[in-house]
Amino acid sequence: MWYQDSFDVIVVGGGHAGTEACLAAARMGCKTLLLTHNIDTLGAMSCNPAIGGIGKGHLVKEIDALGGLMAEAIDHGGIQFRTLNSSKGPAVRATRAQADRLLYKAYVRNYLENQENLTIFQQPCDDLILENDQIIGVSTQMGLKFKGKTVVLTVGTFLAGQIHIGLNNYQGGRAGDPASVNLASRLRDMPFRIERLKTGTPPRLDARTLDFSVMQEQPGDTPVPTFSFMGKAEHHPQQIPCYITHTNEQTHQVIRDGLDRSPMYTGVIEGVGPRYCPSIEDKIMRFADKASHQIFVEPEGLTTHEVYPNGISTSLPFDVQMDLVRSIKGFENAHITRPGYAIEYDYFDPRDLKQTLESKFINNLFFAGQINGTTGYEEAGAQGLVAGMNAACRVQDKEGWTPGREQAYMGVLIDDLSTLGTKEPYRMFTSRAEYRLLLREDNADIRLTEKGRELGLVGDERWQRFCEKMENIELERQRLRGLWVQKDHEATEKLNPMLKNPISREANLEDLLRRPETRYEDLMSIEAFGPGLADKQAAEQVEIQIKYAGYIERQLDEIDKKKRHEDTLIPADFDFAQISGLSNEVVAKLTDARPETLGKASRISGITPAAISLLLVYLKKHGLLRKTA
Amino acid sequence: MSEKSLSNTETIAAQATPPGRGGVGIIRVSGPLASRAAEKLLGKIPKTRYAEYLSFYDQDQEVIDQGIALFFKGPNSFTGEDVLELQGHGGPVILDMLLKHIVSLDNIRMAKPGEFSEQAFLNDKLDLTQAEAIADLINSSSEQAARAALHSLQGDFSKLVHQLVDDVIHLRMYVEAAIDFPEEEIDFLADEKVSSSLNGLIEQVADVLAKAQQGAIIREGMRVVIAGRPNAGKSSLLNALSGRESAIVTDIEGTTRDVLSEQIHIDGMPLHIIDTAGLRESPDKVEQIGIERAWKEIKQADRVLLMIDSQQDDRVDPTEFWPDFFNQLPDNMGLTIIRNKADISGQSCGFKLSHDKPTITLSAKTGDGMTALTDHLKQCMGYEGNAEGGFMARRRHIQALESAQHHLLTGQEQLLSFMAGEILAEELRITQQALNEITGEFTSDDLLGQIFSSFCIGK
């Protein structure tokens, strides 16, 4: 039976990718359906209760700059906020917040329910409906069919999930939820390349059975940071601290003794886990000389006693989990509320996707989130937004768009995935971005909001605030450039003590601010220069832009050089073997990755500059040398 | 798309004549900054399309050479861009000094192998039918350049450069880990370790650069390796080519156990002839090592002369009676079959194409057919030598090292004065990028791999 209405965009899955995808499409004016197997788990955090961190915080700010929800939701659901790397430069500073799961989820659900153009429906999706190589809708468990011009699949955490606790294992999505088995087996019939990955969680504990007095308290920062460019500290609920404790030799002995029943070490689990988020059994085996490992004791919310001991993810049998937990300082009497487990799941080789996250094989079908081999809410949300936006572009007959590597971490994420693929759950790190000094949290709006407005993603309120901020920055920089100080200026008395070398020849305020030892705020405290901007975000921008100026320029130069053939398109069905002179190895690599552009081809490991030259010459000879718009 | 967007925005420079001791050596500069290079090197921009006899200056305004300078305004030039050509005396040292001055100018870099022709082709300066030829040129010259780089990267120099790269990676690992994992109690930026390894690196680069500048490591000219079964007459051929008794010749198989090398000149062009141990399964330890070395030489060669006995039936393709050898031979390696001992087999001497391979029948003993061989080698030098010689390879290495040095020093200054870890990280990233030109790529994922295997990271 066909559902009465047909949709522009159908989003399957209500996790973090699905949420941003359906919101983006709806914001752009598309008639959007969110199809989820359970409305009550919309916006649920299936792993640790936190948003942000290095690289991830950058993604959240980018989602926000494009009008997305994640930053706003965590501003309203966060119970401990910190700025990481605050002692280092602004490019690598990142915001991280502990979340109250219930508050976060409630905010997301409420937001979704009130979004214009968005319909929510609860039924597991069982199948995709295709016409030739184009998707035209989906069908659900009870046989209901939905017609859609485009479909965004964001069913990552549930695809053929297999949960392991000790040597026991069973099918399941997140603990407590069913796995999408029918959809997974249906997708296996299609021409996608499918692999397995693995991840894990720690056992959850009852706070009433823990002794916090022997742990180290970790309070949030003051002043309290916010995520959204529109956010205010007043949006935050009550703030509470986290705690830190450590494993010890006894813990490690318990784990070593239990390894014979570990699904990891007995070879039951075949999926590849992340290198940066190893289970506790992995940590003590691989770093045997380390006597102790940190555990972050994170509250799950204001209205629950459950805590998340971050750092002891494990799939050891439950009795071993009990012993290992109780060997830890402060956990001696701990009660485990939910056992830890490892989960294996399917993912789709993201090299089968275009830069817009549309499938290379099935038109109008988009993939976003963990299904593409990533891990993390932020990575999922970022892809969701890009996929939902590109689905909407398709419906509206507009050219698709994905930010480039030089524009956003979103661009780095999607380019890495669609060009190189991934062998482990992909997580963002700042070291993945070659233009790290440009891609900062603080300027995510400057990088993206204008484009977001053009696409219809950014609402009036945000746009007005953005324009006001940009104007403040520009006017203030003009003012600083015009403010000159000589040796005998009245302000030197207060100024010179702030400087490493006293002022010797005429300089304007931008010159002074370029000196590493000066601070905008301090300079503005001098009467002759002040009072400076009241708009804190704009003031911060002025300072950072001036301090990083030389490096920003150099990175822009580098980007310019790389642009040369970056967007030169390689035809989709191109046969690399017909280019004479390419080695078999290069042909195999290119055929495997199917790069869409010369730029992407050049980033594949083992593709030499000479190979790119040969490709270029071939394309030119055959009149195929065209660029993307 | 406008044709203009295809053109190179960068300015590139390289030697345009084959390396070696030719009479005239040409340096070509192509791109928007060609005129600036002219001003710096010649003190003026020569009148477009007129040959002018001028002095060529180095960075210190000293005259390096005198010769003909030509300036072509794009699009009316070989590449379609502004082009400066300097025709000077052909010695490799002078050409190297000129090139050094040019690439020291901001935003001018060494051209990649075959890049001038590639540019010309992309700018419609060459016929579409020449695409295959351009592809071949890019291919062969890249391989040549790779081999030239390998030669330049031998011995101590290679060890030092690789050590340097390892140490840069090691330091980056600490710096990047401190940035990406601030919650892991591994803030190395704050401790002495980072600044002291940075100091060490800066000393190392200075040391490597000094060694590279001495030029002791450089060898110019095409490398020709003589290979074959034991007792095929390889050593006799070396002696015949060099006109000396460098190699001991006996009729006992396995006489040559090590690698012998002779530099000869054919019409003034330098040529390294390398004699190797005969290739066979041998129980003899010393001979085995000799055979290993022989393969090492073969893989670095510009051309291999495979010696076989002309008493062998020439109707059989050599790949058939010795498939093992051909399987191990690197792809696209220049190869000539030498059918020796014509004096015994009575076959007629000279050059012919046989089974698609250049084949020369000769007698190393009597000297019959040797002219055919030297003519053939001369021809090979004209074509294969076209790409890049040791001096170009070394110039690339020195450029990379100098760039690395510059960025290490800036990074050190940033760290010491401002504790700016992310700036140090940026300078180290660029340092590594420069060194990658010598040792090959190292990706950000490789770096993450190093971090995860060295530190216990993760909650």
Side-chain angles (χ1 to χ4, degrees), chain A residues 564 613, chain B residues 8 10-14 30 78-79 81 109-122 134 137-138 141 396:
Chain A
R564 195 173 148 212
S613 290
Chain B
N8 207 338
E10 292 177 88
T11 301
I12 55 176
S30 172
F78 173 58
T79 61
E81 305 177 314
R109 63 166 173 82
M110 302 266 291
K112 288 184 294 181
E115 198 172 2
F116 290 122
S117 303
E118 178 188 330
Q119 204 54 49
F121 181 70
L122 294 177
I134 297 294
L137 175 68
I138 291 170
S141 39
R396 281 182 202 283

PDB file of all heavy atoms in Angstrom, chain A residues 564 613, chain B residues 8 10-14 30 78-79 81 109-122 134 137-138 141 396:
ATOM      1  N   ARG A 564      44.782  24.122  -9.035  1.00  0.00           N
ATOM      2  CA  ARG A 564      44.974  24.083 -10.472  1.00  0.00           C
ATOM      3  C   ARG A 564      44.102  23.047 -11.158  1.00  0.00           C
ATOM      4  O   ARG A 564      43.301  23.372 -12.004  1.00  0.00           O
ATOM      5  CB  ARG A 564      46.442  23.827 -10.758  1.00  0.00           C
ATOM      6  CG  ARG A 564      46.823  24.105 -12.165  1.00  0.00           C
ATOM      7  CD  ARG A 564      48.322  23.981 -12.300  1.00  0.00           C
ATOM      8  NE  ARG A 564      48.652  23.504 -13.625  1.00  0.00           N
ATOM      9  CZ  ARG A 564      49.689  22.742 -13.878  1.00  0.00           C
ATOM     10  NH1 ARG A 564      50.464  22.363 -12.892  1.00  0.00           N
ATOM     11  NH2 ARG A 564      49.955  22.366 -15.091  1.00  0.00           N
ATOM     12  N   SER A 613      49.838  13.568 -14.305  1.00  0.00           N
ATOM     13  CA  SER A 613      50.158  14.205 -15.580  1.00  0.00           C
ATOM     14  C   SER A 613      49.656  13.367 -16.750  1.00  0.00           C
ATOM     15  O   SER A 613      49.099  13.889 -17.713  1.00  0.00           O
ATOM     16  CB  SER A 613      51.670  14.389 -15.718  1.00  0.00           C
ATOM     17  OG  SER A 613      52.121  15.372 -14.826  1.00  0.00           O
TER      18      SER A 613
ATOM     19  N   ASN B   8      49.460  26.886 -15.969  1.00  0.00           N
ATOM     20  CA  ASN B   8      50.151  26.824 -14.709  1.00  0.00           C
ATOM     21  C   ASN B   8      50.233  28.218 -14.105  1.00  0.00           C
ATOM     22  O   ASN B   8      50.658  29.137 -14.758  1.00  0.00           O
ATOM     23  CB  ASN B   8      51.565  26.333 -15.026  1.00  0.00           C
ATOM     24  CG  ASN B   8      52.161  25.624 -13.878  1.00  0.00           C
ATOM     25  OD1 ASN B   8      51.732  25.825 -12.747  1.00  0.00           O
ATOM     26  ND2 ASN B   8      53.152  24.805 -14.149  1.00  0.00           N
ATOM     27  N   GLU B  10      52.095  28.635 -11.564  1.00  0.00           N
ATOM     28  CA  GLU B  10      53.415  28.635 -10.947  1.00  0.00           C
ATOM     29  C   GLU B  10      54.479  28.826 -12.012  1.00  0.00           C
ATOM     30  O   GLU B  10      54.280  28.537 -13.175  1.00  0.00           O
ATOM     31  CB  GLU B  10      53.649  27.297 -10.246  1.00  0.00           C
ATOM     32  CG  GLU B  10      52.753  27.110  -9.051  1.00  0.00           C
ATOM     33  CD  GLU B  10      52.954  25.745  -8.430  1.00  0.00           C
ATOM     34  OE1 GLU B  10      53.833  25.633  -7.570  1.00  0.00           O
ATOM     35  OE2 GLU B  10      52.267  24.810  -8.839  1.00  0.00           O
ATOM     36  N   THR B  11      55.618  29.301 -11.576  1.00  0.00           N
ATOM     37  CA  THR B  11      56.734  29.445 -12.493  1.00  0.00           C
ATOM     38  C   THR B  11      57.714  28.308 -12.224  1.00  0.00           C
ATOM     39  O   THR B  11      58.039  28.018 -11.078  1.00  0.00           O
ATOM     40  CB  THR B  11      57.414  30.814 -12.297  1.00  0.00           C
ATOM     41  OG1 THR B  11      56.436  31.819 -12.521  1.00  0.00           O
ATOM     42  CG2 THR B  11      58.559  30.992 -13.265  1.00  0.00           C
ATOM     43  N   ILE B  12      58.123  27.644 -13.300  1.00  0.00           N
ATOM     44  CA  ILE B  12      58.960  26.458 -13.153  1.00  0.00           C
ATOM     45  C   ILE B  12      60.265  26.626 -13.921  1.00  0.00           C
ATOM     46  O   ILE B  12      60.325  27.379 -14.893  1.00  0.00           O
ATOM     47  CB  ILE B  12      58.219  25.193 -13.656  1.00  0.00           C
ATOM     48  CG1 ILE B  12      57.740  25.372 -15.094  1.00  0.00           C
ATOM     49  CG2 ILE B  12      57.035  24.881 -12.752  1.00  0.00           C
ATOM     50  CD1 ILE B  12      57.082  24.142 -15.694  1.00  0.00           C
ATOM     51  N   ALA B  13      61.295  25.943 -13.462  1.00  0.00           N
ATOM     52  CA  ALA B  13      62.606  26.065 -14.104  1.00  0.00           C
ATOM     53  C   ALA B  13      63.303  24.722 -14.109  1.00  0.00           C
ATOM     54  O   ALA B  13      63.125  23.927 -13.193  1.00  0.00           O
ATOM     55  CB  ALA B  13      63.466  27.079 -13.356  1.00  0.00           C
ATOM     56  N   ALA B  14      64.072  24.468 -15.155  1.00  0.00           N
ATOM     57  CA  ALA B  14      64.879  23.256 -15.198  1.00  0.00           C
ATOM     58  C   ALA B  14      65.876  23.356 -16.338  1.00  0.00           C
ATOM     59  O   ALA B  14      65.772  24.225 -17.208  1.00  0.00           O
ATOM     60  CB  ALA B  14      64.007  22.020 -15.384  1.00  0.00           C
ATOM     61  N   SER B  30      59.733  28.936 -17.176  1.00  0.00           N
ATOM     62  CA  SER B  30      58.438  29.164 -17.794  1.00  0.00           C
ATOM     63  C   SER B  30      57.409  29.548 -16.740  1.00  0.00           C
ATOM     64  O   SER B  30      57.328  28.922 -15.693  1.00  0.00           O
ATOM     65  CB  SER B  30      57.982  27.890 -18.518  1.00  0.00           C
ATOM     66  OG  SER B  30      56.657  28.040 -18.974  1.00  0.00           O
ATOM     67  N   PHE B  78      57.233  28.206 -26.396  1.00  0.00           N
ATOM     68  CA  PHE B  78      57.132  26.744 -26.403  1.00  0.00           C
ATOM     69  C   PHE B  78      56.009  26.255 -25.491  1.00  0.00           C
ATOM     70  O   PHE B  78      55.206  25.400 -25.855  1.00  0.00           O
ATOM     71  CB  PHE B  78      58.474  26.128 -25.963  1.00  0.00           C
ATOM     72  CG  PHE B  78      58.429  24.642 -25.785  1.00  0.00           C
ATOM     73  CD1 PHE B  78      58.050  23.813 -26.843  1.00  0.00           C
ATOM     74  CD2 PHE B  78      58.751  24.062 -24.568  1.00  0.00           C
ATOM     75  CE1 PHE B  78      57.999  22.439 -26.676  1.00  0.00           C
ATOM     76  CE2 PHE B  78      58.693  22.687 -24.400  1.00  0.00           C
ATOM     77  CZ  PHE B  78      58.320  21.877 -25.453  1.00  0.00           C
ATOM     78  N   THR B  79      55.928  26.804 -24.280  1.00  0.00           N
ATOM     79  CA  THR B  79      54.923  26.317 -23.330  1.00  0.00           C
ATOM     80  C   THR B  79      53.619  27.094 -23.394  1.00  0.00           C
ATOM     81  O   THR B  79      52.631  26.700 -22.780  1.00  0.00           O
ATOM     82  CB  THR B  79      55.451  26.431 -21.873  1.00  0.00           C
ATOM     83  OG1 THR B  79      55.712  27.815 -21.616  1.00  0.00           O
ATOM     84  CG2 THR B  79      56.688  25.617 -21.651  1.00  0.00           C
ATOM     85  N   GLU B  81      53.450  30.039 -22.163  1.00  0.00           N
ATOM     86  CA  GLU B  81      53.585  31.041 -21.104  1.00  0.00           C
ATOM     87  C   GLU B  81      54.832  31.870 -21.382  1.00  0.00           C
ATOM     88  O   GLU B  81      55.565  31.597 -22.319  1.00  0.00           O
ATOM     89  CB  GLU B  81      53.757  30.339 -19.750  1.00  0.00           C
ATOM     90  CG  GLU B  81      52.666  29.375 -19.426  1.00  0.00           C
ATOM     91  CD  GLU B  81      52.941  28.653 -18.111  1.00  0.00           C
ATOM     92  OE1 GLU B  81      54.065  28.183 -17.898  1.00  0.00           O
ATOM     93  OE2 GLU B  81      52.022  28.584 -17.306  1.00  0.00           O
ATOM     94  N   ARG B 109      59.851  27.303  -8.799  1.00  0.00           N
ATOM     95  CA  ARG B 109      60.266  25.996  -8.317  1.00  0.00           C
ATOM     96  C   ARG B 109      60.835  25.175  -9.460  1.00  0.00           C
ATOM     97  O   ARG B 109      60.674  25.517 -10.631  1.00  0.00           O
ATOM     98  CB  ARG B 109      59.094  25.259  -7.678  1.00  0.00           C
ATOM     99  CG  ARG B 109      57.958  24.955  -8.631  1.00  0.00           C
ATOM    100  CD  ARG B 109      56.993  23.933  -8.031  1.00  0.00           C
ATOM    101  NE  ARG B 109      55.817  23.762  -8.868  1.00  0.00           N
ATOM    102  CZ  ARG B 109      55.764  22.979  -9.938  1.00  0.00           C
ATOM    103  NH1 ARG B 109      56.829  22.296 -10.320  1.00  0.00           N
ATOM    104  NH2 ARG B 109      54.663  22.883 -10.643  1.00  0.00           N
ATOM    105  N   MET B 110      61.501  24.075  -9.096  1.00  0.00           N
ATOM    106  CA  MET B 110      62.028  23.167 -10.098  1.00  0.00           C
ATOM    107  C   MET B 110      60.868  22.530 -10.844  1.00  0.00           C
ATOM    108  O   MET B 110      59.867  22.142 -10.227  1.00  0.00           O
ATOM    109  CB  MET B 110      62.818  22.050  -9.421  1.00  0.00           C
ATOM    110  CG  MET B 110      63.966  22.516  -8.575  1.00  0.00           C
ATOM    111  SD  MET B 110      65.515  22.521  -9.470  1.00  0.00           S
ATOM    112  CE  MET B 110      65.776  20.781  -9.684  1.00  0.00           C
ATOM    113  N   ALA B 111      61.018  22.393 -12.146  1.00  0.00           N
ATOM    114  CA  ALA B 111      59.976  21.733 -12.928  1.00  0.00           C
ATOM    115  C   ALA B 111      59.998  20.245 -12.646  1.00  0.00           C
ATOM    116  O   ALA B 111      61.044  19.663 -12.393  1.00  0.00           O
ATOM    117  CB  ALA B 111      60.217  21.981 -14.409  1.00  0.00           C
ATOM    118  N   LYS B 112      58.818  19.645 -12.689  1.00  0.00           N
ATOM    119  CA  LYS B 112      58.752  18.190 -12.612  1.00  0.00           C
ATOM    120  C   LYS B 112      59.251  17.631 -13.940  1.00  0.00           C
ATOM    121  O   LYS B 112      59.191  18.312 -14.963  1.00  0.00           O
ATOM    122  CB  LYS B 112      57.300  17.734 -12.400  1.00  0.00           C
ATOM    123  CG  LYS B 112      56.750  18.019 -11.025  1.00  0.00           C
ATOM    124  CD  LYS B 112      55.340  17.453 -10.890  1.00  0.00           C
ATOM    125  CE  LYS B 112      54.384  18.168 -11.817  1.00  0.00           C
ATOM    126  NZ  LYS B 112      52.998  17.714 -11.744  1.00  0.00           N
ATOM    127  N   PRO B 113      59.689  16.382 -13.949  1.00  0.00           N
ATOM    128  CA  PRO B 113      60.136  15.791 -15.215  1.00  0.00           C
ATOM    129  C   PRO B 113      59.032  15.874 -16.267  1.00  0.00           C
ATOM    130  O   PRO B 113      57.888  15.525 -15.994  1.00  0.00           O
ATOM    131  CB  PRO B 113      60.409  14.334 -14.840  1.00  0.00           C
ATOM    132  CG  PRO B 113      60.642  14.340 -13.370  1.00  0.00           C
ATOM    133  CD  PRO B 113      59.831  15.462 -12.825  1.00  0.00           C
ATOM    134  N   GLY B 114      59.370  16.361 -17.431  1.00  0.00           N
ATOM    135  CA  GLY B 114      58.396  16.414 -18.531  1.00  0.00           C
ATOM    136  C   GLY B 114      57.388  17.540 -18.412  1.00  0.00           C
ATOM    137  O   GLY B 114      56.465  17.637 -19.211  1.00  0.00           O
ATOM    138  N   GLU B 115      57.548  18.417 -17.421  1.00  0.00           N
ATOM    139  CA  GLU B 115      56.499  19.398 -17.160  1.00  0.00           C
ATOM    140  C   GLU B 115      56.400  20.479 -18.238  1.00  0.00           C
ATOM    141  O   GLU B 115      55.311  20.951 -18.542  1.00  0.00           O
ATOM    142  CB  GLU B 115      56.714  20.045 -15.781  1.00  0.00           C
ATOM    143  CG  GLU B 115      55.452  20.720 -15.270  1.00  0.00           C
ATOM    144  CD  GLU B 115      55.572  21.206 -13.829  1.00  0.00           C
ATOM    145  OE1 GLU B 115      56.657  21.055 -13.230  1.00  0.00           O
ATOM    146  OE2 GLU B 115      54.577  21.732 -13.310  1.00  0.00           O
ATOM    147  N   PHE B 116      57.549  20.857 -18.836  1.00  0.00           N
ATOM    148  CA  PHE B 116      57.482  21.869 -19.894  1.00  0.00           C
ATOM    149  C   PHE B 116      56.613  21.372 -21.048  1.00  0.00           C
ATOM    150  O   PHE B 116      55.754  22.080 -21.559  1.00  0.00           O
ATOM    151  CB  PHE B 116      58.883  22.189 -20.439  1.00  0.00           C
ATOM    152  CG  PHE B 116      59.756  22.942 -19.479  1.00  0.00           C
ATOM    153  CD1 PHE B 116      60.974  22.427 -19.087  1.00  0.00           C
ATOM    154  CD2 PHE B 116      59.347  24.169 -18.969  1.00  0.00           C
ATOM    155  CE1 PHE B 116      61.787  23.117 -18.209  1.00  0.00           C
ATOM    156  CE2 PHE B 116      60.161  24.874 -18.094  1.00  0.00           C
ATOM    157  CZ  PHE B 116      61.385  24.339 -17.703  1.00  0.00           C
ATOM    158  N   SER B 117      56.854  20.134 -21.439  1.00  0.00           N
ATOM    159  CA  SER B 117      56.107  19.571 -22.560  1.00  0.00           C
ATOM    160  C   SER B 117      54.641  19.405 -22.198  1.00  0.00           C
ATOM    161  O   SER B 117      53.746  19.649 -22.999  1.00  0.00           O
ATOM    162  CB  SER B 117      56.682  18.219 -22.965  1.00  0.00           C
ATOM    163  OG  SER B 117      58.033  18.364 -23.291  1.00  0.00           O
ATOM    164  N   GLU B 118      54.402  18.991 -20.963  1.00  0.00           N
ATOM    165  CA  GLU B 118      53.026  18.834 -20.495  1.00  0.00           C
ATOM    166  C   GLU B 118      52.296  20.176 -20.602  1.00  0.00           C
ATOM    167  O   GLU B 118      51.178  20.260 -21.104  1.00  0.00           O
ATOM    168  CB  GLU B 118      53.043  18.357 -19.040  1.00  0.00           C
ATOM    169  CG  GLU B 118      51.658  18.203 -18.428  1.00  0.00           C
ATOM    170  CD  GLU B 118      51.726  17.925 -16.922  1.00  0.00           C
ATOM    171  OE1 GLU B 118      52.715  17.318 -16.478  1.00  0.00           O
ATOM    172  OE2 GLU B 118      50.792  18.330 -16.215  1.00  0.00           O
ATOM    173  N   GLN B 119      52.976  21.217 -20.158  1.00  0.00           N
ATOM    174  CA  GLN B 119      52.402  22.557 -20.192  1.00  0.00           C
ATOM    175  C   GLN B 119      52.118  22.978 -21.627  1.00  0.00           C
ATOM    176  O   GLN B 119      51.065  23.520 -21.926  1.00  0.00           O
ATOM    177  CB  GLN B 119      53.409  23.508 -19.527  1.00  0.00           C
ATOM    178  CG  GLN B 119      52.793  24.745 -18.965  1.00  0.00           C
ATOM    179  CD  GLN B 119      51.658  24.411 -18.024  1.00  0.00           C
ATOM    180  OE1 GLN B 119      51.798  23.578 -17.145  1.00  0.00           O
ATOM    181  NE2 GLN B 119      50.518  25.039 -18.230  1.00  0.00           N
ATOM    182  N   ALA B 120      53.088  22.720 -22.497  1.00  0.00           N
ATOM    183  CA  ALA B 120      52.934  23.079 -23.904  1.00  0.00           C
ATOM    184  C   ALA B 120      51.718  22.372 -24.489  1.00  0.00           C
ATOM    185  O   ALA B 120      50.903  22.962 -25.204  1.00  0.00           O
ATOM    186  CB  ALA B 120      54.193  22.697 -24.677  1.00  0.00           C
ATOM    187  N   PHE B 121      51.582  21.117 -24.143  1.00  0.00           N
ATOM    188  CA  PHE B 121      50.465  20.321 -24.664  1.00  0.00           C
ATOM    189  C   PHE B 121      49.132  20.863 -24.159  1.00  0.00           C
ATOM    190  O   PHE B 121      48.179  21.037 -24.912  1.00  0.00           O
ATOM    191  CB  PHE B 121      50.656  18.867 -24.229  1.00  0.00           C
ATOM    192  CG  PHE B 121      49.588  17.956 -24.737  1.00  0.00           C
ATOM    193  CD1 PHE B 121      49.501  17.648 -26.083  1.00  0.00           C
ATOM    194  CD2 PHE B 121      48.659  17.421 -23.868  1.00  0.00           C
ATOM    195  CE1 PHE B 121      48.512  16.806 -26.550  1.00  0.00           C
ATOM    196  CE2 PHE B 121      47.661  16.592 -24.328  1.00  0.00           C
ATOM    197  CZ  PHE B 121      47.586  16.277 -25.669  1.00  0.00           C
ATOM    198  N   LEU B 122      49.085  21.140 -22.858  1.00  0.00           N
ATOM    199  CA  LEU B 122      47.828  21.620 -22.276  1.00  0.00           C
ATOM    200  C   LEU B 122      47.453  22.989 -22.818  1.00  0.00           C
ATOM    201  O   LEU B 122      46.286  23.346 -22.885  1.00  0.00           O
ATOM    202  CB  LEU B 122      47.932  21.671 -20.749  1.00  0.00           C
ATOM    203  CG  LEU B 122      48.074  20.310 -20.070  1.00  0.00           C
ATOM    204  CD1 LEU B 122      48.244  20.471 -18.568  1.00  0.00           C
ATOM    205  CD2 LEU B 122      46.856  19.440 -20.359  1.00  0.00           C
ATOM    206  N   ILE B 134      54.041  12.717 -25.586  1.00  0.00           N
ATOM    207  CA  ILE B 134      54.161  13.471 -24.330  1.00  0.00           C
ATOM    208  C   ILE B 134      54.041  12.508 -23.150  1.00  0.00           C
ATOM    209  O   ILE B 134      54.807  12.572 -22.188  1.00  0.00           O
ATOM    210  CB  ILE B 134      53.038  14.535 -24.239  1.00  0.00           C
ATOM    211  CG1 ILE B 134      53.185  15.552 -25.362  1.00  0.00           C
ATOM    212  CG2 ILE B 134      53.068  15.230 -22.883  1.00  0.00           C
ATOM    213  CD1 ILE B 134      54.402  16.397 -25.286  1.00  0.00           C
ATOM    214  N   LEU B 137      57.149  10.665 -22.749  1.00  0.00           N
ATOM    215  CA  LEU B 137      58.196  11.528 -22.221  1.00  0.00           C
ATOM    216  C   LEU B 137      58.032  11.690 -20.710  1.00  0.00           C
ATOM    217  O   LEU B 137      58.991  11.573 -19.946  1.00  0.00           O
ATOM    218  CB  LEU B 137      58.140  12.896 -22.909  1.00  0.00           C
ATOM    219  CG  LEU B 137      59.129  13.928 -22.344  1.00  0.00           C
ATOM    220  CD1 LEU B 137      60.545  13.531 -22.674  1.00  0.00           C
ATOM    221  CD2 LEU B 137      58.821  15.316 -22.875  1.00  0.00           C
ATOM    222  N   ILE B 138      56.787  11.946 -20.286  1.00  0.00           N
ATOM    223  CA  ILE B 138      56.535  12.131 -18.852  1.00  0.00           C
ATOM    224  C   ILE B 138      56.928  10.859 -18.102  1.00  0.00           C
ATOM    225  O   ILE B 138      57.596  10.897 -17.082  1.00  0.00           O
ATOM    226  CB  ILE B 138      55.052  12.464 -18.593  1.00  0.00           C
ATOM    227  CG1 ILE B 138      54.736  13.861 -19.124  1.00  0.00           C
ATOM    228  CG2 ILE B 138      54.713  12.362 -17.117  1.00  0.00           C
ATOM    229  CD1 ILE B 138      53.272  14.201 -19.130  1.00  0.00           C
ATOM    230  N   SER B 141      60.813  10.210 -18.352  1.00  0.00           N
ATOM    231  CA  SER B 141      61.626  11.172 -17.598  1.00  0.00           C
ATOM    232  C   SER B 141      61.363  11.074 -16.106  1.00  0.00           C
ATOM    233  O   SER B 141      62.252  11.328 -15.311  1.00  0.00           O
ATOM    234  CB  SER B 141      61.463  12.599 -18.113  1.00  0.00           C
ATOM    235  OG  SER B 141      60.156  12.876 -18.456  1.00  0.00           O
ATOM    236  N   ARG B 396      67.392  19.398  -6.415  1.00  0.00           N
ATOM    237  CA  ARG B 396      66.086  19.170  -5.783  1.00  0.00           C
ATOM    238  C   ARG B 396      66.252  18.871  -4.294  1.00  0.00           C
ATOM    239  O   ARG B 396      65.530  19.370  -3.458  1.00  0.00           O
ATOM    240  CB  ARG B 396      65.381  17.974  -6.419  1.00  0.00           C
ATOM    241  CG  ARG B 396      64.717  18.252  -7.722  1.00  0.00           C
ATOM    242  CD  ARG B 396      64.009  16.993  -8.225  1.00  0.00           C
ATOM    243  NE  ARG B 396      63.824  17.067  -9.663  1.00  0.00           N
ATOM    244  CZ  ARG B 396      62.890  17.807 -10.249  1.00  0.00           C
ATOM    245  NH1 ARG B 396      62.054  18.502  -9.524  1.00  0.00           N
ATOM    246  NH2 ARG B 396      62.796  17.852 -11.547  1.00  0.00           N
TER     247      ARG B 396
END
